[in-house]
Amino acid sequence: MSSFSGIWVPLVTPFHQGEIDFPALQALCTRLLKQGIDGVVVCGTTGEAPMLTKDEQLQVLDAVLAIVPGHQVVMGLSGTHLPTVRAMQDAILQRHVAGILLPAPYYIRPSQAALAAWFTELADHSTVPIILYNVPYRTGIHLELETLRQLAVHPKIAAIKDCGGSLELTLSLIADGQLDVLCGEDSQIFSTLCHGGTGAIAASAHLFPEQFVQLIKQVNASDLAGARQTFFTLLPMMRLMFSAPNPAAIKYALSLDGLLHNELRAPMLPAPENVERAIRDHLNLHTR
């Protein structure tokens, strides 16, 4: 089975006048690959996937796959209606991807037994590895440790994007060694790596990705003093990128370099002026 490690960037979806800006998306992918990231995640929450139609999501995936090798591409898949989710899964599996990022069904707060059944059903149906996405502040339900341990024995469930907010759960999963543990909270990357996590799916790594890659290399080389310095250099930027609902701050920061337009789809709005000002000040200071 595939292993998932290093820095994976959950891509923003660029828009221009309401439509997907495919040239900007592909240029962003090219830039990130040149700077050494390990892979990209398409149509996660950072990619505003709920604001894309299913056809648009597949168009975004195809545009990324034209630039990024399939073994470096993970596709997000979410929903609450199993036949619809299965149909989208079938469409994704017609492409060559490294895996599927799969959160719990949102809004309805199913039981732990129902969650185990949901993930097992979709894993049984998958021909590529599944990355569980534990993000209770978005879905409304927490994947508990025993549920995760039950799922971890499935041959197609390979990893977890850990946004659960529980250090004990994170440490238990790392200690178990059954799943690749990818940090999903950017400010916790250093601690997760030092405890034995395999990497991160980090939205803020759209900016200064080479420094995120350096952080991974430093931890792997046991250069913890250097890694700590790299992390604390990145931390103010990480905090800024989440000072407005994601991905508003990231899109604004990228727009300053002319990489894309500062445009989001409703109900998302651009970052407020005070956040934009703070981003400009920080990036100007960083580039001096």
Side-chain angles (χ1 to χ4, degrees):
M1 183 183 295
S2 299
S3 61
F4 295 93
S5 61
I7 296 297
W8 292 66
V9 176
L11 293 168
V12 299
T13 302
F15 299 114
H16 183 47
Q17 297 180 349
E19 300 299 322
I20 298 168
D21 188 343
F22 291 106
L25 174 65
Q26 292 182 324
L28 177 62
C29 289
T30 298
R31 176 178 176 174
L32 290 169
L33 286 179
K34 286 181 178 179
Q35 292 173 315
I37 65 160
D38 293 273
V40 297
V41 178
V42 179
C43 291
T45 47
T46 303
E48 298 174 75
M51 284 72 87
L52 302 175
T53 68
K54 297 302 182 185
D55 284 344
E56 285 179 324
Q57 290 183 30
L58 293 173
Q59 290 167 18
V60 169
L61 176 58
D62 288 338
V64 171
L65 287 171
I67 301 296
V68 185
H71 69 274
Q72 293 179 275
V73 177
V74 164
M75 179 65 175
L77 173 66
S78 63
T80 57
H81 181 247
L82 184 58
T84 301
V85 175
R86 281 277 300 264
M88 186 63 175
Q89 184 181 21
D90 286 339
I92 295 168
L93 294 176
Q94 292 175 17
R95 283 89 170 159
H96 174 50
V97 295
I100 289 174
L101 179 66
L102 186 64
Y106 47 82
Y107 186 70
I108 55 178
R109 296 174 57 84
S111 68
Q112 293 297 305
L115 289 171
W118 173 270
F119 284 106
T120 299
E121 166 75 18
L122 292 167
D124 285 345
H125 190 65
S126 187
T127 57
V128 300
I130 298 291
I131 302 173
L132 304 173
Y133 186 9
N134 190 26
V135 58
Y137 56 80
R138 290 190 182 275
T139 63
I141 192 70
H142 200 298
L143 282 163
E144 296 176 1
L145 179 59
E146 290 310 311
T147 304
L148 291 168
R149 283 174 167 164
Q150 178 182 344
L151 293 170
V153 303
H154 194 288
K156 285 298 181 184
I157 296 178
I160 181 168
K161 180 181 179 183
D162 179 24
C163 299
S166 167
L167 178 60
E168 286 303 312
L169 184 142
T170 301
L171 294 177
S172 296
L173 292 174
I174 292 171
D176 287 350
Q178 292 293 108
L179 295 172
D180 293 333
V181 177
L182 298 164
C183 180
E185 296 293 328
D186 294 19
S187 63
Q188 297 171 16
I189 289 175
F190 179 62
S191 59
T192 297
L193 292 173
C194 289
H195 283 121
T198 60
I201 297 176
S204 60
H206 280 89
L207 277 72
F208 312 116
E210 70 284 354
Q211 293 186 32
F212 284 83
V213 172
Q214 180 185 18
L215 174 62
I216 293 277
K217 291 178 178 177
Q218 288 169 323
V219 173
N220 289 342
S222 298
D223 177 14
L224 297 188
R228 187 180 301 110
Q229 181 177 355
T230 300
F231 172 73
F232 280 112
T233 298
L234 288 168
L235 185 58
M237 182 274 295
M238 293 179 188
R239 289 172 172 161
L240 272 176
M241 290 304 100
F242 295 99
S243 58
N246 188 40
I250 294 171
K251 281 193 163 180
Y252 177 71
L254 294 174
S255 75
L256 295 176
D257 274 349
L259 287 168
L260 47 78
H261 296 275
N262 184 30
E263 184 175 332
L264 294 89
R265 275 191 179 173
M268 303 299 291
L269 290 173
E273 172 56 33
N274 66 307
V275 172
E276 293 185 349
R277 186 184 317 113
I279 292 170
R280 290 194 303 272
D281 291 345
H282 177 78
L283 294 180
N284 286 337
L285 180 65
H286 186 89
T287 54
R288 285 175 188 170

